Amino acid sequence: MVLMLVLGALLIVGVTLTLRWGGTAYEPWSPGDGGPVADRPPLRTVGRGYLRGVAIALVGGFWAGALVTGPAVRLIMRLLAATAGDGAQGLLTEAEEVVGNIDLGGTIGLYLFGGIFPGLLSGALYLVFRRWLPAGRLGGVAFGALHLVIAATRLDPLRPGNPDFDLVGPGWLAVVTFSLAAVFHGMAVVALVNRYSTRFPPPAGSRASRVRTVLPLVLPALLLIPGAFLVFPLTIGLVATLVASRIPPVGRALRSGAAVVAGRIALAVVALAFLPGAVVDLHDVIVRDQPAVSSPAAPAAPAPGPS
């Protein structure tokens, strides 16, 4: 019960910050005098701008996963286990976890792999595609809707092939709650990324002000230590950015209004292409009425469970 209360408190904080900062605009960084962007900016300037973007994506994605997505997914799993009925309690899920069992290890795993890691990926994707999304709060809603239509039903948590929906439910409740979680996931990423972009790098000022600005980056940066494999894609991105900065027509094209329009059209086409399949997949989850067939967990050594 204490664990669920803690997660509920985190979710309240995350939703509050998401709604409060949802209308914040992303603030590009120019280390110069604020004039027009140079066709061939110094490599050092380009590199610093790229690393700033990485830091902002890390912070926004990590804290969106830690304060919104992770707690929401865990609490939804607990709700679905509680509403599944007595017959589902003690049965094993696809991940060999026990329905109805509140386990710290299982909660941490779900918190990381269902919240923080997807948040980090979404933070990076938002930095890449942010100019193609609507401005203001609508951009967060659109980003969350793209998560729901493109990813949630193909991967998780609303993958219709997941046999766990034969155990927990009802299906309509799973669709409603996980759909809201997917949309709020996108909204949180946008809100926190945009907010941090207004504060990083820290302005010249007191040491305490600089510490407050850098502090949210500490935990996300520590994840790069066990995740050393991330260095490779980050390096590839840096090299691609540096090369593109040496080709003025490429930079002008990417900054043009035509590129924004083309990008928005591309996102709309992709979303519309995925929408019919997503609707069918969500319907499949809702109408699941097969009886539970999983075998009961061994009482001597129960596995951690998503309750």
Side-chain angles (χ1 to χ4, degrees), residues 43-155:
L43 289 177
R44 180 181 179 184
T45 298
V46 176
R48 290 171 63 191
Y50 176 82
L51 293 177
R52 173 185 183 262
V54 170
I56 291 172
L58 279 174
V59 168
F62 176 90
W63 289 108
L67 296 177
V68 175
T69 318
V73 169
R74 185 63 185 88
L75 290 169
I76 291 170
M77 293 298 292
R78 178 60 188 143
L79 173 63
L80 295 178
T83 56
D86 295 338
Q89 307 306 309
L91 298 180
L92 294 181
T93 67
E94 183 183 38
E96 297 187 355
E97 297 175 344
V98 182
V99 176
N101 182 39
I102 301 177
D103 180 83
L104 179 60
T107 296
I108 292 175
L110 193 60
Y111 188 78
L112 289 173
F113 293 100
I116 289 180
F117 291 156
L120 292 173
L121 177 59
S122 295
L125 291 174
Y126 175 63
L127 259 290
V128 174
F129 299 115
R130 65 176 180 80
R131 295 181 69 240
W132 299 354
L133 294 168
R137 298 182 185 276
L138 184 58
V141 175
F143 193 54
L146 288 171
H147 279 80
L148 174 60
V149 172
I150 296 175
T153 56
R154 298 308 189 278
L155 302 173

Side-chain angles (χ1 to χ4, degrees), residues 6 40 55 71 91 103 122-123 125 150 164 185 209 213 215 237 264:
V6 170
R40 292 174 63 91
L91 298 180
D103 180 83
S122 295
L125 291 174
I150 296 175
D164 292 350
H185 171 80
S209 176
T213 301
L215 194 59
R264 289 179 175 176

Side-chain angles (χ1 to χ4, degrees), residues 21 23-31 49 52-53 56 126-127 130-131 190-203:
W21 295 336
T24 305
Y26 185 87
E27 186 172 306
W29 176 61
S30 175
R52 173 185 183 262
I56 291 172
Y126 175 63
L127 259 290
R130 65 176 180 80
R131 295 181 69 240
V190 171
L192 296 179
V193 165
N194 288 356
R195 170 67 176 180
Y196 198 60
S197 74
T198 67
R199 303 176 64 86
F200 189 85

